[in-house]
Amino acid sequence: MLGLGFATGMEFYTADSVNLVLTDLTGSFGVSGDEASWSLTVYTSALFLGVPVCVWLAGHIGHKNYLIGSVLLFAAASVVSATSLSFDTMLVARAFQGVAGAGLVVWWRGTVYMLLPKPQRSEALMRVSTMLYLSSAFGMLFSGYITDQVSWRLICIPNLAYAAAAIWLLVRYFPDMPVQRSERPTDWPGIVLIAVTLVSLQIILSRGQIDDWFGSPRIRLLAWLGATALILFGVWQTSARNRAPLLRLELLLDRYVLSSALIGVLTGMILSGSLYMLPEFLRNVTSEPLSATQTGRVVAVYALTAAAVRPLVVSVVARFGQRKTISGALVCLIASMLLINRFLTTDTPAYYFYLPLVLYALCVSALLPSVGSGTVARIEQRNLLDGVSLYMTFRQFGAAIGVAVLTILVERRETLHSARLFDHLRASSRVVQNWMTTASDVILSRGGYSTLKSQQIATKLLAEVGGREAATLAYADAFLFMAVIGIITLCLVPIIPPTPPVIKK
């Protein structure tokens, strides 16, 4: 379990570190903030594609070999990503990171379900989860500090230590398991079809705003191609001719698997989107932008709280049952998003976000294990790995589209709010005239500029303030959108079969 914790902790550390340093990344490569977000989109998309692939691949080469290979590939890709001289090279490295990370995030949980008897699973999951949250906190604290003091490129250094510890432990203690090549032949048609679907969707989401969505022939072509590939994928996965489908979609007929898949895709959008949106706002939009170190300290509140609360979740689930625990976690998530929406201004003190982040931590620490233990873990043992793969695939699909959807939403809402705000900033307005006169006088007296130059600077200042206000409103809308997604997810909880609480006598 310790070896799995180090291996997967490397992925958690990296994910939160890259979220934090996107601003610095844009300066190093000379790209826009939207282009920089592709480092997240490419990673989560590769992770989504790698999740269904990792189950049959582990069966082909052996679970132990696959885990160690994933650790080595992830560490190597981390170094290449951080030392890349071009943005394209970094994106390729991030894609390899995502493929390797898929094996880590799936197999730490899959190994617990596969190797340990049911009475021992909850405690093992709790211990590894606590390590993962501590890795997230370390990622935000260390990467923020090293970015401000030296360079963001050094955030890859801890991954080498994580990898060394994980490999040493896995080589010594992970049990040898039989290779099952005959039982899991390669589903190449399924891999190709799901890859075409994902690539088409990501290009549509990234280029749609620029190319006028379905007004563009290329977007229409990609939409038809992606939809056709998705339909063919579904048909092929359920076909009797497919001896070993990449995803056993028939398992969705089980209420346990269906509920975990639906909740997974929606919560995946919120969990990935919120951890992208808040650092971006704090570092780029506020009137006094925070440094990487300061932002890391703020956002690390959620990871440290989750690590502290996670050991208590087992008893909470045992007392109240999975459905009530999931409902309470989603209520905390909705409250967190609504509070951030309410608090978000250009001058909000950083400590205002502590309460929403604590609520967010209460959600994360309880939601993910409750969904796992209350749904996927209850299906038959022979279908367990396929159920885990299906659940993680849907969850990673939500994470893959979450950042892209929220980026589009922020851009569109910012345009709308800019139009509304600047409609009121008319030269004939007495309020605007008074503000411009005061600003010009201050600039004239303190800057030594001419009267005309002072007026020009005041106009630019007014435009900058208005743009920042429009961006703040757009980010607030994004958190409101995530709250709505949380409400929709809460409405899906009744799909989960009821499980009685464990009452100790």
Side-chain angles (χ1 to χ4, degrees), residues 355-366:
L355 176 58
L357 287 170
V358 168
L359 291 173
Y360 180 84
L362 295 178
C363 163
V364 172
S365 59

Side-chain angles (χ1 to χ4, degrees), residues 340-360:
I340 295 178
N341 167 268
R342 180 67 179 85
F343 291 159
L344 217 60
T345 70
T346 56
D347 299 311
T348 302
Y351 63 83
Y352 270 52
F353 297 107
Y354 290 167
L355 176 58
L357 287 170
V358 168
L359 291 173
Y360 180 84

Side-chain angles (χ1 to χ4, degrees), residues 83-422:
T83 57
S84 299
L85 299 180
S86 71
F87 189 61
D88 291 339
T89 303
M90 182 190 182
L91 291 181
V92 172
R94 289 286 287 167
F96 279 102
Q97 260 190 316
V99 172
L104 303 179
V105 299
V106 170
W107 278 110
W108 82 265
R109 188 179 294 275
T111 299
V112 172
Y113 291 146
M114 189 167 51
L115 297 182
L116 298 182
K118 282 188 177 182
Q120 297 179 18
R121 289 175 186 172
S122 294
E123 184 177 359
L125 290 169
M126 178 271 293
R127 290 180 177 180
V128 179
S129 295
T130 303
M131 286 186 65
L132 301 183
Y133 292 131
L134 291 175
S135 294
S136 291
F138 173 67
M140 288 177 280
L141 295 173
F142 175 80
S143 59
Y145 177 81
I146 202 68
T147 296
D148 287 337
Q149 298 301 319
V150 188
S151 170
W152 68 270
R153 295 183 182 275
L154 297 181
I155 65 174
C156 67
I157 292 177
N159 280 342
L160 302 179
Y162 271 110
I167 291 173
W168 185 80
L169 289 165
L170 292 173
V171 168
R172 286 176 63 90
Y173 300 110
F174 195 91
D176 292 318
M177 302 177 64
V179 179
Q180 303 170 347
R181 292 184 178 87
S182 61
E183 296 181 17
R184 301 293 296 189
T186 305
D187 184 11
W188 289 114
I191 294 174
V192 171
L193 289 171
I194 195 64
V196 170
T197 302
L198 180 63
V199 171
S200 300
L201 177 62
Q202 291 296 342
I203 294 176
I204 290 172
L205 291 176
S206 64
R207 296 292 305 178
Q209 184 88 348
I210 301 172
D211 295 344
D212 192 27
W213 294 104
F214 293 104
S216 166
R218 179 169 63 175
I219 296 297
R220 291 198 299 270
L221 175 63
L222 287 170
W224 280 109
L225 181 63
T228 302
L230 181 61
I231 293 172
L232 291 176
F233 176 78
V235 172
W236 173 245
Q237 294 306 290
T238 55
S239 171
R241 297 177 58 188
N242 190 353
R243 292 188 297 127
L246 193 65
L247 289 176
R248 293 184 56 190
L249 298 181
E250 72 275 9
L251 291 178
L252 291 174
L253 298 176
D254 188 316
R255 283 178 64 186
Y256 289 117
V257 180
L258 177 62
S259 58
S260 68
L262 293 176
I263 293 175
V265 69
L266 295 175
T267 55
M269 290 181 62
I270 303 173
L271 299 181
S272 66
S274 56
L275 293 179
Y276 163 69
M277 284 284 134
L278 187 57
E280 283 293 290
F281 175 81
L282 294 175
R283 298 207 61 192
N284 297 308
V285 181
T286 57
S287 56
E288 295 184 6
L290 302 184
S291 65
T293 302
Q294 293 169 324
T295 305
R297 289 172 181 170
V298 173
V299 184
V301 168
Y302 104 84
L304 292 172
T305 304
V309 172
R310 182 61 180 89
L312 305 176
V313 171
V314 176
S315 59
V316 171
V317 174
R319 181 174 180 179
F320 296 103
Q322 278 83 12
R323 288 214 301 190
K324 290 182 179 179
T325 304
I326 292 172
S327 299
L330 289 173
V331 169
C332 288
L333 180 63
I334 295 167
S336 173
M337 298 298 104
L338 291 176
L339 281 175
I340 295 178
N341 167 268
R342 180 67 179 85
F343 291 159
L344 217 60
T345 70
T346 56
D347 299 311
T348 302
Y351 63 83
Y352 270 52
F353 297 107
Y354 290 167
L355 176 58
L357 287 170
V358 168
L359 291 173
Y360 180 84
L362 295 178
C363 163
V364 172
S365 59
L367 178 65
L368 301 183
S370 297
V371 171
S373 62
T375 55
V376 178
R378 295 184 177 274
I379 64 178
E380 298 178 5
Q381 182 71 26
R382 61 188 178 88
N383 295 325
L384 195 54
L385 287 181
D386 291 305
V388 171
S389 176
L390 201 60
Y391 162 60
M392 291 301 299
T393 298
F394 274 84
R395 197 175 113 189
Q396 290 305 323
F397 174 72
I401 66 173
V403 173
V405 169
L406 287 172
T407 300
I408 295 170
L409 176 66
V410 167
E411 289 180 355
R412 294 182 70 88
R413 298 299 293 179
E414 189 172 352
T415 301
L416 175 64
H417 290 304
S418 293
R420 290 176 174 176
L421 283 172
F422 286 102

Side-chain angles (χ1 to χ4, degrees), residues 453-466:
K453 187 67 175 178
S454 298
Q455 292 175 346
Q456 293 174 344
I457 294 175
T459 303
K460 291 180 180 179
L461 181 61
L462 181 61
E464 180 182 342
V465 172

